[in-house]
Amino acid sequence: MHPSAALARIKPSPTLAITSRVQELKRAGVDVIGLGAGEPDFDTPDFIKEAGIKAIRDGQTKYTNVDGTPELKDAVVAKYLRDNGLTYTRDQITINAGGKHTLFNAMVATLDAGDEVVIPAPYWVSYPDVVLFAGGTPVFVAAGADQNYKITPEQLDAAITPKTKWVIINSPSNPTGAAYSEPELKALGEVLERHPHVWIFADDMYEHILFDDFKFTTIAQVCPALYERTLTANGCSKAYAMTGWRIGFAGGAPWLIKAMSKLQSQSTSNPCSIAQAASIAALTGDQGFLKDNAALFQRRRDLVVGMLNQIEGMTCPNPEGAFYVYPEFSGLIGRSTPNGKRIDTDEDFVGYLLDDAKVAAVQGAAFGLSPAMRISYATSDELLTKACERIQAASAALK
């Protein structure tokens, strides 16, 4: 017996591996600062927790419809109309066990061997692996710090072939925090309008974490001609600090939603009934705290970007959203650590930071663009200041 060919095509999530390593070191008493986790550091708001507790007390602990309760689907329909100006009906909504599950269902339900999926790089670590697992072929389009990590319409057009089935657009982005403005999305949409065989997976998970009065739009909103072939995916994890509750959702064509539901009926079945009840409260309750959280993240972003840009050999673009920065450090490659180890890759540098500076970040290679690293600033100002001081000192010590 050996693992399947499908399993052999993928690797474990590098971001989750870093998180596990940090937890191990902390248990061993090491003063390590973890900047690898992709989740807010504050708690789920009380009114959402109370809805979950009430659901348990009210006996909402049975199976629900495979891809979500009618009540949660209605709350998602209302969310899309309120926040994005998009009109969906219940049969166009899927509820899944987190955003990763939404992606997995969409790709496994639609990809055949040889189908291509265009993925801008840097990318969220799961995109290529899920595509590979489903038998598809990832096609990467690289956008470096000089482009603020955003692909151009020309790059997108050049990447599309007759075999292209999907294009993934993640804005604001994990891992860079870069977000496409309305004109930038429109320009990408004009390219996609010329290729009617291509579908769009719009990953809007960080929609509510935006800075400097940046206005969020999603591609089906700014390009109505693409509405029929766009799966607009989102979830409760990041905005509502509900990563562990595991609720993702999406709106799209009824046939696609039905296909994803068929797959879900034979895999996970319904998402947690209690988490679904809590998510209704999240989506329909007072949304005021979202702006407060974004303001907190903006302050942290400014702190981290300012300190990292003081490092000679490192460039840290100023992201529009999410809670990550993606500093590029080609100027540090080729140098040596105080004990003589040469830094040849971003993995070497991130390893050096963990061993010598006791700061955990994730190497750019995991996200498809090197030499760089992803830093999550979803932690306290005090820890971020201390971590950046350690990174500054470790970088300055390179010869």
Side-chain angles (χ1 to χ4, degrees):
M1 177 71 82
H2 54 79
S4 68
L7 196 67
R9 289 195 291 268
I10 67 171
K11 55 192 182 302
S13 166
T15 50
L16 295 180
I18 292 282
T19 306
S20 299
R21 178 91 177 99
V22 168
Q23 286 165 351
E24 276 169 34
L25 288 167
K26 282 184 173 169
R27 278 196 295 270
V30 178
D31 173 29
V32 64
I33 302 173
L35 303 179
E39 62 181 348
D41 56 313
F42 31 80
D43 211 355
T44 305
D46 284 341
F47 77 93
I48 299 172
K49 286 188 201 172
E50 291 305 322
I53 294 164
K54 184 176 187 302
I56 296 170
R57 293 208 170 110
D58 290 351
Q60 290 182 39
T61 55
K62 309 290 187 194
Y63 292 130
T64 73
N65 291 1
V66 164
D67 65 345
T69 63
E71 295 80 8
L72 180 51
K73 287 193 173 194
D74 287 347
V76 171
V77 165
K79 172 259 174 294
Y80 278 127
L81 189 60
R82 174 188 74 216
D83 296 343
N84 312 111
L86 292 172
T87 304
Y88 293 110
T89 50
R90 239 185 236 172
D91 66 342
Q92 290 178 280
I93 300 296
T94 177
I95 313 292
N96 318 109
K100 192 177 289 190
H101 191 205
T102 307
L103 172 75
F104 187 90
N105 283 354
M107 296 300 131
V108 173
T110 59
L111 290 178
D112 291 312
D115 286 342
E116 294 175 353
V117 178
V118 174
I119 303 174
Y123 47 71
W124 179 44
V125 293
S126 293
Y127 294 146
D129 282 291
V130 170
V131 169
L132 288 164
F133 181 86
T137 304
V139 174
F140 301 116
V141 181
D146 56 328
Q147 294 176 214
N148 280 323
Y149 301 126
K150 292 186 267 193
I151 64 166
T152 65
E154 294 75 20
Q155 284 181 296
L156 176 59
D157 201 32
I160 292 171
T161 75
K163 291 180 176 177
T164 307
K165 188 158 271 187
W166 289 94
V167 168
I168 297 179
I169 297 173
N170 175 210
S171 172
S173 153
N174 174 3
T176 67
Y180 289 93
S181 67
E182 188 170 344
E184 286 169 336
L185 271 184
K186 264 207 175 92
L188 295 177
E190 282 165 12
V191 171
L192 291 162
E193 284 175 32
R194 297 199 297 272
H195 299 282
H197 67 292
V198 178
W199 281 65
I200 302 98
F201 186 96
D203 182 346
D204 297 347
M205 190 60 79
Y206 295 88
E207 167 186 13
H208 292 298
I209 306 171
L210 292 163
F211 314 133
D212 306 318
D213 300 319
F214 185 91
K215 183 179 177 288
F216 177 85
T217 49
T218 190
I219 196 156
Q221 177 184 16
V222 300
C223 302
L226 299 176
Y227 169 86
E228 297 292 341
R229 51 190 170 103
T230 300
L231 186 67
T232 304
N234 210 314
C236 294
S237 295
K238 311 297 180 176
Y240 300 95
M242 292 177 70
T243 50
W245 297 77
R246 307 310 302 134
I247 295 292
F249 52 79
W255 75 264
L256 176 58
I257 300 300
K258 198 171 176 184
M260 291 167 67
S261 176
K262 181 180 176 182
L263 175 63
Q264 191 159 315
S265 75
Q266 294 294 8
S267 55
T268 62
S269 197
N270 65 275
C272 171
S273 58
I274 298 142
Q276 289 191 69
S279 298
I280 294 169
L283 295 173
T284 60
D286 180 13
Q287 307 290 298
F289 70 95
L290 295 174
K291 279 203 166 18
D292 297 337
N293 289 355
L296 178 70
F297 278 132
Q298 180 169 331
R299 190 182 75 221
R300 293 171 176 179
R301 175 205 64 173
D302 293 344
L303 167 74
V304 172
V305 169
M307 290 185 76
L308 293 181
N309 275 328
Q310 289 168 18
I311 298 170
E312 188 205 333
M314 191 176 284
T315 304
C316 186
N318 201 31
E320 291 88 359
F323 39 73
Y324 310 106
V325 288
Y326 200 77
E328 126 9 268
F329 45 81
S330 48
L332 301 178
I333 298 297
R335 295 191 188 179
S336 296
T337 68
N339 57 14
K341 188 174 186 308
R342 196 177 138 92
I343 303 290
D344 285 321
T345 64
D346 48 28
E347 205 156 356
D348 291 343
F349 183 70
V350 165
Y352 164 58
L353 287 184
L354 187 57
D355 294 340
D356 288 40
K358 302 295 182 277
V359 174
V362 188
Q363 66 274 14
F367 308 99
L369 198 83
S370 298
M373 60 183 171
R374 186 190 79 173
I375 284 176
S376 165
Y377 49 85
T379 190
S380 70
D381 292 31
E382 182 193 357
L383 280 178
L384 289 172
T385 303
K386 196 187 286 188
C388 289
E389 283 169 352
R390 291 182 184 185
I391 296 168
Q392 286 177 339
S395 301
L398 293 174
K399 301 193 225 350

